[in-house]
């Protein structure tokens, strides 16, 4: 059939441009990426052979072959894996199937990717890295189950287009043929290929073979030598997770992590163990150092790779890990699962549930250990993943205490950027203090300057500062820690034994009634404040109401939220409130007094970071008052 010429999607061109013009270091990773794709393709074929006998590929001799050809200047990476149809080739090698593409492009523009080539691997655009070393790439592929005449040739010179052409191919699988650039000819050398495979792809399960030519003495004439070609396997193929810990070096662990995660940085921690007993499995898990940029995307893949009897069943088994541990990468191998297990079966499989529980415990234990023994490393981990881990308080009721032990917060008494645990907070509590106080806010500065903290400052009481948007939900859900209740500094009544509230209540009772009447529909109650020192008033949410920050967030998402009845708190020790009381005693119906009440309410809104109800009217009233003050003064 015909040759058809097609255009790459815009993002492919961008990636290609970047590959070719910006990435100078680590060009050799192209081979790792191509071998990794070949290995994935073989995994898929092997798995298909188990579940679909009609493909007729059982017992195949799975293999990845490197064919350097110095004369032609080409390097071929050949596999006998699943292959691609014409449509699949166009889809897989002409677009980037990733929902976060736009964000990724932005990220590329904002950072210096020359120093961060790992970003590319993480994003799964491995194939295109071939263009770092090749000026033309040809892919000849035949899908498993398709006839020899149903193969296809994909070809591109990274000039914005590629071609597709029908062809014949005798064997199932894919050949990726690179026309090696002049300045990259070392990738045609046997020793160089051998070195790269050893470094990056040693644990690939399938043999990576190459024909090597050796000269040996001619048996007929000892003076001469003859050359002999033999097929050599370049990788040791050891499933690292099945080996004994003592047999594995730190480098091997790190290399395997990079292979799994496409990360370029070494992992923060490695967890490797074998569980024996009724359910047996091996697990090799890693905590990364840095948060992958796509971890908050919908299509972020959760869970370790799952192997059953050395066969990879899936590259991410989400049933194996709770989502709040989705930053953990790794491999789990169990022989207690059937080979043809599907995702649906895994969701409520007993063995999987046991493994999941065990992995969860191990990971949380490791974090607890790290927190205890290496606070600095734990702090760095928490910066990257604390926000995700915290979701566990909400989702994993059974372990919420354990997760709460792992939380870190800044407080009004920590240096900026330094964090403490809840246990440390409790240790530092004032002798008479009964509750754990916290304040939510957009950032530390705005939380710290808020009027809600006045009394705490005065009394030297530490308040935890929480800046993640869902902190209030998490903390409300947790309720208490080590039998100490949490109390939001901006919610509910506060009684820190300040002043004589009962007397003040009587003294100001009538004024407060008037204020309540004036603010009908806006606040449910007006009361004497136990938290103000310098400010005259503030608005407080009911103890069981949603945090105002959450209310705003939900509203921004277009949701209607029950706000509860707000409370206006009044500081009886403030000069203004004293004067209002005098005015009230002289003239209960004073129009000026009513105007003040309205202005105070608007001020309270301002203090919360909100706008006055009617900014223009507010400004006018303020100006009027100031003018009066100036005249009088
Ligand atoms: P990723 O491997 O992360 O998906 P790549 O850009 O490396 O990204 O590859 C894109 C897609 O091309 C793969 O997901 C796969 O569908 C297809 N592909 C690449 N190489 C092969 C191969 N050797 N055999 C079959 N399919 C392949």
């Amino acid at each position: 059939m015909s040759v058809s010429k097609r255009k790459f999607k815009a993002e492919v061109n961008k990636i290609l441009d970047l590959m070719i013009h910006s990435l100078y270091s680590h060009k050799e990773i192209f081979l790792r990426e191509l071998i990794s794709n070949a290995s994935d393709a073989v995994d898929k074929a092997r798995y298909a052979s188990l579940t679909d006998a009609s493909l007729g590929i059982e017992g195949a001799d799975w293999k990845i072959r490197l064919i350097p050809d110095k004369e032609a200047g080409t390097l071929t990476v050949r596999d006998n894996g699943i292959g691609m149809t014409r449509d699949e080739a166009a889809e897989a090698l002409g677009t980037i199937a990733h929902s976060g593409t736009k964000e990724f492009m932005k990220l590329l523009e904002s950072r210096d990717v020359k120093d961060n080539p790992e970003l590319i691997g993480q994003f799964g655009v491995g194939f295109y890295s071939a263009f770092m070393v090749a000026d033309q790439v040809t892919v000849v592929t035949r899908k498993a189950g398709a006839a020899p005449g149903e193969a296809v040739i994909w070809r591109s010179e990274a000039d914005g287009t590629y071609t597709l052409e029908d062809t014949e191919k005798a064997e199932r699988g894919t050949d990726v043929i690179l026309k090696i650039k002049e300045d990259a000819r070392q990738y045609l050398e046997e020793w160089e290929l051998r070195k790269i495979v050893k470094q990056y792809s040693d644990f690939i399960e399938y043999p990576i073979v190459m024909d090597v030519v050796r000269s040996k003495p001619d048996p007929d004439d000892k003076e001469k030598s003859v050359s002999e070609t033999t097929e050599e396997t370049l990788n040791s193929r050891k499933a690292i997770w099945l080996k004994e810990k003592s047999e594995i070096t730190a480098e091997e662990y790190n290399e395997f992590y990079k292979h799994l995660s496409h990360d370029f940085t070494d992992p923060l921690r490695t967890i490797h163990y074998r569980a024996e007993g009724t359910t047996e499995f091996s697990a090799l898990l890693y905590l990364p150092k840095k948060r992958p940029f796509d971890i908050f995307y919908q299509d972020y893949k959760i869970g370790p790779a799952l192997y059953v009897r050395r066969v990879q069943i899936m590259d991410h088994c989400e049933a194996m890990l709770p989502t709040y541990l989705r930053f953990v990468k790794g491999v789990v191998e169990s022989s207690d699962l059937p080979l043809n297990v599907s995702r649906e079966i895994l969701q409520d499989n007993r063995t999987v549930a046991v493994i999941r529980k065990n992995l969860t415990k191990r990971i949380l234990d490791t974090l607890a250990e790290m927190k205890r023994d290496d606070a600095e490393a734990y702090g760095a981990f928490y910066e990257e993943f604390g926000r995700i881990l915290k979701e566990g308080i909400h989702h994993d009721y059974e372990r919420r205490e354990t997760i709460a032990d792992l939380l870190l917060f800044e407080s009004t008494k920590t240096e900026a950027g330094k964090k403490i645990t809840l246990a440390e907070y409790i240790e530092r509590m004032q002798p008479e203090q009964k509750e754990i106080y916290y304040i939510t806010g957009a950032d530390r500065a705005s939380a710290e300057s808020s009027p809600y903290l006045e009394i705490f400052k005065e009394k030297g009481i530490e308040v935890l500062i929480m800046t993640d948007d869902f902190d209030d939900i998490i903390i409300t859900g947790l309720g208490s820690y080590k039998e100490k209740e949490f109390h939001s500094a901006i919610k509910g009544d506060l009684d820190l034994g300040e002043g004589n509230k009962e007397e003040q209540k009587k003294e100001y009772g009538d004024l407060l009634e008037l204020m309540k009447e004036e603010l009908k529909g806006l606040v449910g109650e007006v009361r004497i404040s136990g938290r103000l020192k310098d400010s005259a008033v503030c608005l407080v949410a009911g103890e069981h109401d949603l945090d105002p920050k959450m209310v705003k967030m939900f509203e921004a998402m277009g949701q209607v939220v029950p706000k509860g009845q707000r409370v206006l708190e009044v500081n009886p020790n403030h000069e203004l409130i004293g004067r209002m009381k005098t005015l009230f005693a002289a003239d209960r119906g004073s129009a000026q007094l009513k105007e003040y009440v309205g202005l105070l309410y608007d001020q309270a809104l301002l203090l919360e970071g909100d706008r006055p109800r009617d900014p223009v009217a507010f400004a006018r009233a303020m100006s009027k008052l100031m003018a009066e003050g100036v005249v009088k003064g």
Side-chain angles (χ1 to χ4, degrees):
M1 260 206 306
S2 59
V3 180
S4 79
K5 188 165 180 148
R6 303 190 187 186
K7 285 199 170 97
F8 282 126
K9 286 263 156 49
E11 62 269 17
V12 175
N13 283 325
K14 272 202 168 173
I15 296 278
L16 282 172
D17 188 54
L18 197 98
M19 293 278 182
I20 298 165
H21 298 116
S22 309
L23 287 177
Y24 301 111
S25 61
H26 296 299
K27 282 193 180 186
E28 74 279 9
I29 62 151
F30 83 92
L31 191 60
R32 176 186 75 178
E33 297 296 323
L34 296 183
I35 289 176
S36 159
N37 282 348
S39 164
D40 288 349
V42 176
D43 276 338
K44 283 182 196 152
R46 187 164 151 201
Y47 184 57
S49 75
L50 295 170
T51 49
D52 185 355
S54 71
L55 290 174
I57 48 176
E58 307 95 278
D61 182 17
W62 308 113
K63 205 173 263 188
I64 298 163
R65 180 180 295 278
L66 304 184
I67 312 165
D69 181 339
K70 281 190 191 156
E71 253 164 62
T74 59
L75 172 66
T76 301
V77 180
R78 170 176 296 168
D79 68 64
N80 53 4
I82 196 77
M84 286 176 272
T85 63
R86 188 183 175 109
D87 286 346
E88 282 168 351
E91 178 63 29
L93 310 180
T95 62
I96 298 175
H98 203 296
S99 68
T101 306
K102 273 213 190 79
E103 283 82 353
F104 180 67
M105 301 317 299
K106 263 192 237 141
L107 190 91
L108 288 185
E109 276 152 22
S110 69
R111 285 211 220 171
D112 187 1
V113 279
K114 278 177 226 161
D115 299 332
N116 297 295
E118 68 274 20
L119 294 174
I120 288 167
Q122 264 188 34
F123 194 62
V125 286
F127 170 76
Y128 301 108
S129 65
F131 287 101
M132 292 197 292
V133 300
D135 32 36
Q136 185 195 64
V137 178
T138 305
V139 179
V140 186
T141 182
R142 182 184 138 199
K143 179 92 176 179
E150 291 172 335
V152 62
I153 303 178
W154 177 102
R155 178 172 291 135
S156 176
E157 290 173 6
D159 55 355
T161 64
Y162 62 94
T163 55
L164 284 173
E165 188 182 346
D166 292 334
T167 191
E168 291 255 342
K169 186 174 184 299
E171 310 284 343
R172 170 196 70 246
T174 304
D175 285 1
V176 178
I177 306 156
L178 312 183
K179 193 153 184 313
I180 295 292
K181 288 182 184 177
E182 239 353 274
D183 62 0
R185 285 190 65 90
Q186 74 266 31
Y187 300 118
L188 297 172
E189 300 291 344
E190 179 201 319
W191 53 267
E192 180 73 18
L193 296 170
R194 197 184 275 281
K195 190 182 85 186
I196 303 171
V197 169
K198 211 62 199 151
Q199 184 181 356
Y200 292 110
S201 313
D202 196 47
F203 25 66
I204 292 283
E205 223 177 312
Y206 309 104
I208 301 167
V209 302
M210 183 165 66
D211 282 344
V212 292
V213 183
R214 292 276 179 268
S215 56
K216 60 172 200 178
D218 188 335
D220 301 330
D221 180 354
K222 293 262 184 300
E223 296 297 298
K224 288 189 188 155
S225 61
V226 288
S227 57
E228 184 188 63
T229 303
T230 49
E231 181 183 297
E232 250 187 60
T233 300
L234 308 181
N235 56 331
S236 69
R237 303 175 58 203
K238 275 180 258 172
I240 173 170
W241 60 93
L242 296 181
K243 295 209 289 190
E244 291 296 322
K245 268 177 156 172
S246 56
E247 289 173 34
I248 310 168
T249 65
E251 284 78 49
E252 283 173 319
Y253 272 132
N254 292 350
E255 252 345 298
F256 185 66
Y257 164 73
K258 291 176 189 168
H259 157 77
L260 269 183
S261 64
H262 294 278
D263 195 347
F264 249 58
T265 327
D266 288 341
L268 182 64
R269 279 285 187 284
T270 303
I271 307 171
H272 185 193
Y273 69 103
R274 237 198 103 63
E276 321 247 331
T278 39
T279 303
E280 299 197 345
F281 64 91
S282 297
L284 173 53
L285 306 174
Y286 294 97
L287 304 178
K289 272 202 186 113
K290 290 270 165 229
R291 189 169 57 214
F293 76 96
D294 58 348
I295 198 160
F296 291 113
Y297 294 157
Q298 284 256 311
D299 60 354
Y300 176 78
K301 293 204 183 127
I302 302 175
L306 174 63
Y307 281 76
V308 175
R309 274 163 282 187
R310 302 264 344 243
V311 179
Q312 192 188 71
I313 303 300
M314 55 190 73
D315 53 3
H316 293 278
C317 179
E318 66 263 345
M320 289 278 177
L321 274 186
T323 52
Y324 67 90
L325 296 179
R326 61 185 177 277
F327 46 83
V328 177
K329 310 266 180 190
V331 174
V332 170
E333 167 145 1
S334 162
S335 35
D336 295 342
L337 288 166
L339 268 173
N340 57 354
V341 65
S342 69
R343 277 184 199 276
E344 291 68 40
I345 291 175
L346 285 172
Q347 285 307 334
D348 42 34
N349 175 284
R350 209 194 63 84
T351 306
V352 172
V354 172
I355 298 177
R356 174 187 163 111
K357 202 167 165 186
N358 191 301
L359 297 181
T360 304
K361 181 166 181 338
R362 270 295 176 132
I363 296 164
L364 293 178
D365 285 352
T366 304
L367 292 175
E369 248 166 57
M370 192 154 85
K371 179 171 72 76
R372 194 189 59 214
D373 303 336
D374 189 352
E376 200 178 317
Y378 185 73
F381 160 82
Y382 198 86
E383 275 311 302
E384 297 293 318
F385 301 109
R387 197 190 133 95
I388 297 167
L389 178 68
K390 211 169 355 181
E391 294 169 14
I393 302 258
H394 190 71
H395 294 296
D396 194 345
Y397 193 82
E398 211 182 302
R399 293 189 194 77
R400 66 205 176 116
E401 289 278 331
T402 313
I403 300 166
D405 290 338
L406 295 169
L407 300 182
L408 297 180
F409 296 104
E410 284 193 47
S411 88
T412 48
K413 290 198 176 173
T414 58
E415 282 167 43
K418 284 258 153 49
K419 292 189 164 112
I420 55 168
T421 61
L422 294 172
E424 281 166 326
Y425 177 90
I426 290 179
E427 260 169 45
R428 289 148 61 139
M429 273 167 52
Q430 302 283 17
E432 70 284 2
Q433 189 184 339
K434 294 190 186 64
E435 300 177 303
I436 302 174
Y437 294 107
Y438 70 95
I439 184 161
T440 51
D443 51 54
R444 180 172 176 139
S446 66
E448 272 189 325
S449 60
S450 115
Y452 303 97
L453 292 186
E454 288 170 6
I455 187 72
F456 295 97
K457 276 191 201 138
E458 160 102 358
K459 302 218 133 210
I461 296 174
E462 184 166 25
V463 179
L464 297 173
I465 300 174
M466 308 203 174
T467 49
D468 276 338
D469 41 17
F470 54 84
D471 275 335
D472 196 62
I473 293 188
I474 300 282
I475 293 300
T476 314
L478 188 57
S480 64
Y481 180 76
K482 298 208 193 293
E483 286 157 28
K484 302 266 187 286
E485 307 256 330
F486 286 99
H487 195 137
S488 166
I490 61 178
K491 285 200 272 185
D493 203 358
L494 255 193
D495 190 359
L496 298 172
E498 191 63 357
N500 190 338
K501 257 185 159 182
E502 285 313 309
E503 234 165 65
Q504 286 171 335
K505 260 189 210 163
K506 268 188 220 143
E507 206 183 318
Y508 286 85
D510 288 349
L511 175 63
L512 299 188
E513 266 311 307
L514 172 96
M515 292 176 82
K516 189 174 164 186
E517 189 56 35
E518 254 336 281
L519 300 174
K520 213 177 194 161
L522 296 172
V523 300
E525 196 192 334
V526 180
R527 70 173 173 227
I528 296 288
S529 178
R531 48 164 66 79
L532 294 176
K533 271 330 260 186
D534 308 317
S535 308
V537 289
C538 70
L539 275 168
V540 180
E543 201 156 334
H544 305 291
D545 288 341
L546 264 183
D547 184 294
K549 198 172 151 211
M550 297 296 313
V551 173
K552 274 193 210 116
M553 193 176 96
F554 283 129
E555 280 175 348
M557 293 177 345
Q559 294 189 24
V560 184
V561 267
K563 278 199 196 111
Q565 286 276 39
R566 317 289 314 271
V567 176
L568 184 74
E569 287 199 348
V570 175
N571 176 3
N573 303 317
H574 196 281
E575 193 190 349
L576 175 62
I577 303 297
R579 292 209 182 178
M580 282 172 72
K581 193 173 136 250
T582 316
L583 189 58
F584 180 69
D587 174 9
R588 290 189 163 235
S590 160
Q592 198 183 17
L593 192 62
K594 289 185 181 167
E595 192 183 355
Y596 283 7
V597 174
L599 281 175
L600 278 176
Y601 176 72
D602 281 327
Q603 264 190 37
L605 288 175
L606 276 172
L607 286 173
E608 264 196 330
D610 222 332
R611 285 152 54 97
R613 290 161 295 168
D614 178 348
V616 177
F618 180 76
R620 280 202 191 122
M622 286 302 287
S623 306
K624 191 176 127 227
L625 272 178
M626 284 158 80
E628 282 169 14
V630 173
V631 172
K632 276 181 197 146

